[in-house]
Amino acid sequence: MSDNASFPNTRMRRSRAASWSRKMVSETTLSPTDLIWPLFITEGEAVEEPIAALPGVSRWSVDNIVARAGDAIALGIPCIALFPNTQADRRSDDGAEALNPENLMCRAIRAIKAAHGDAIGILTDVALDPYTAHGQDGLIDESGYVLNDETVAVLVDQAVNQADAGADIIAPSDMMDGRIGAIRKALEMNGHSNVQIMSYAAKYASAFYGPFRDAVGSRGLLKGDKKGYQMDPANSDEALREVAMDIAEGADSVMVKPGLPYLDIIRRVKDRFEIPVFAYQVSGEYAMIEAAAAAGAGDRDALVLETLTAFKRAGCSGILTYHAAHAARLLRAKA
């Protein structure tokens, strides 16, 4: 900007006066192709289980997940993210169900691919918390400490299991050290060289995850907390180190989680690294928007689009959001 800019030669409001002009000078654009839609899977057939902590979000049986994938394709959403609600009798301390080729995740992947082929991408969560009886993301010792290297060995097998079923993007959310390199090596060795890794590289020990834990059935199971492996919300330099390590180990893209409270982290990562950066607008963020709208504290549609635009402005290539379908409909109506 010129140092000589002054009023009235410069009137900043000129370009804001008309809708066509505001569109012409817009610096950030948001479209359905920027969205990834997280979906929760449950057992049964023709099942929809509304999630009380996430108004408007449900768990779906595999057949209904296939239908939701069709909805995403019709709305122009390029990718869905899958999360299973594993039944209690299939949870164990070692999370063995994660390695079952017939688990909920793998059945859903195969069903979506059979119905839709490559018309939509499938991103799968790699972590043990949906499968453990104790709710932690990894294996634990007698004291409850989450074991790093032993957990990584299981995560590698979990990732290959999902890739064998047809997953397009493996997204490790566990925050164990070294797991990206180990998974990348295993994918290459097992013929999955084109399967991407989107690393949850900067995942914080956040207070915004509560509704998600309800959705996957782990809230009441969790013993202790996850501060021993998820990041301290006070740290930002540490996030850059985490991202750098995951890129070096073979991540194709990285994620910052949660989203809106960590826009500064997104911007720092985007400025430092030449790699696609994604954000997860997590369950607590979604629930706050829904609560604000229900209370009359803000217009729901405007709140949804403004927050998603903020992610793009901060440098995101895309956003995982439970509002994906609703946002895509709003964007298509505006186009």
Side-chain angles (χ1 to χ4, degrees):
M1 182 175 175
S2 171
D3 291 337
N4 297 321
S6 62
F7 178 86
N9 291 339
T10 301
R11 288 181 180 267
M12 296 298 293
R13 292 181 57 192
R14 285 193 191 112
S15 60
R16 304 174 195 156
S19 174
W20 64 265
S21 180
R22 292 192 294 272
K23 293 176 182 176
M24 191 170 67
V25 301
S26 176
E27 299 174 27
T28 304
T29 58
L30 180 69
S31 78
T33 59
D34 297 316
L35 308 175
I36 298 174
W37 189 9
L39 295 168
F40 297 104
I41 322 163
T42 194
E43 291 286 355
E45 186 174 348
V47 173
E48 177 184 0
E49 298 174 349
I51 301 167
L54 288 171
V57 177
S58 295
R59 303 181 196 93
W60 305 94
S61 53
V62 169
D63 55 319
N64 277 331
I65 285 286
V66 172
R68 299 293 75 73
D71 294 341
I73 293 168
L75 289 168
I77 297 169
C79 186
I80 57 175
L82 301 180
F83 300 90
N85 179 18
T86 305
Q87 292 178 311
D89 62 357
R90 296 185 182 178
R91 289 175 175 263
S92 59
D93 285 348
D94 61 2
E97 180 67 8
L99 309 184
N100 179 4
E102 296 301 321
N103 65 25
L104 265 176
M105 180 74 86
C106 292
R107 280 185 278 136
I109 295 167
R110 289 195 298 269
I112 293 164
K113 286 298 181 183
H116 302 295
D118 291 331
I120 192 154
I122 302 176
L123 180 153
T124 56
D125 177 59
V126 168
L128 297 185
D129 53 324
Y131 307 97
T132 56
H134 46 72
Q136 293 287 0
D137 290 37
L139 307 180
I140 60 174
D141 64 13
E142 294 79 5
S143 69
Y145 181 76
V146 176
L147 301 166
N148 191 91
D149 297 6
E150 294 85 348
T151 296
V152 169
V154 180
L155 298 176
V156 167
D157 291 341
Q158 181 185 15
V160 172
N161 188 37
Q162 293 176 358
D164 286 345
D168 298 296
I169 305 175
I170 298 296
S173 65
D174 56 284
M175 289 299 286
M176 298 298 115
D177 292 335
R179 88 276 203 218
I180 300 301
I183 291 171
R184 181 78 276 163
K185 181 178 179 180
L187 292 174
E188 293 288 333
M189 291 176 61
N190 284 273
H192 298 301
S193 59
N194 284 332
V195 172
Q196 300 177 38
I197 297 177
M198 181 188 293
S199 171
Y200 287 64
K203 181 178 180 180
Y204 285 84
S206 172
F208 286 90
Y209 298 150
F212 176 91
R213 291 172 182 165
D214 286 341
V216 298
S218 65
R219 184 200 285 267
L221 301 175
L222 181 61
K223 299 172 183 176
D225 57 43
K226 302 189 178 185
K227 294 179 181 180
Y229 48 98
Q230 295 178 357
M231 285 183 54
D232 183 343
N235 293 356
S236 61
D237 290 346
E238 183 184 11
L240 301 186
R241 294 182 64 195
E242 290 276 10
V243 170
M245 290 180 66
D246 286 359
I247 293 172
E249 292 179 19
D252 300 286
S253 57
V254 295
M255 187 194 302
V256 175
K257 181 181 180 182
L260 207 61
Y262 297 88
L263 293 180
D264 60 317
I265 308 301
I266 295 167
R267 173 46 60 187
R268 291 194 69 186
V269 171
K270 181 67 174 179
D271 287 345
R272 178 73 67 88
F273 303 102
E274 295 179 354
I275 193 168
V277 181
F278 291 80
Y280 199 140
Q281 186 182 41
V282 299
S283 58
E285 297 175 73
Y286 172 93
M288 286 196 305
I289 290 174
E290 293 298 311
D299 178 78
R300 181 176 182 245
D301 295 352
L303 290 169
V304 168
L305 294 183
E306 184 174 341
T307 52
L308 294 177
T309 300
F311 291 122
K312 285 296 300 293
R313 190 186 67 242
C316 279
S317 296
I319 309 105
L320 286 82
T321 174
Y322 304 101
H323 280 125
H326 180 63
R329 292 186 183 97
L330 293 176
L331 293 167
R332 288 164 70 92
K334 290 178 60 176

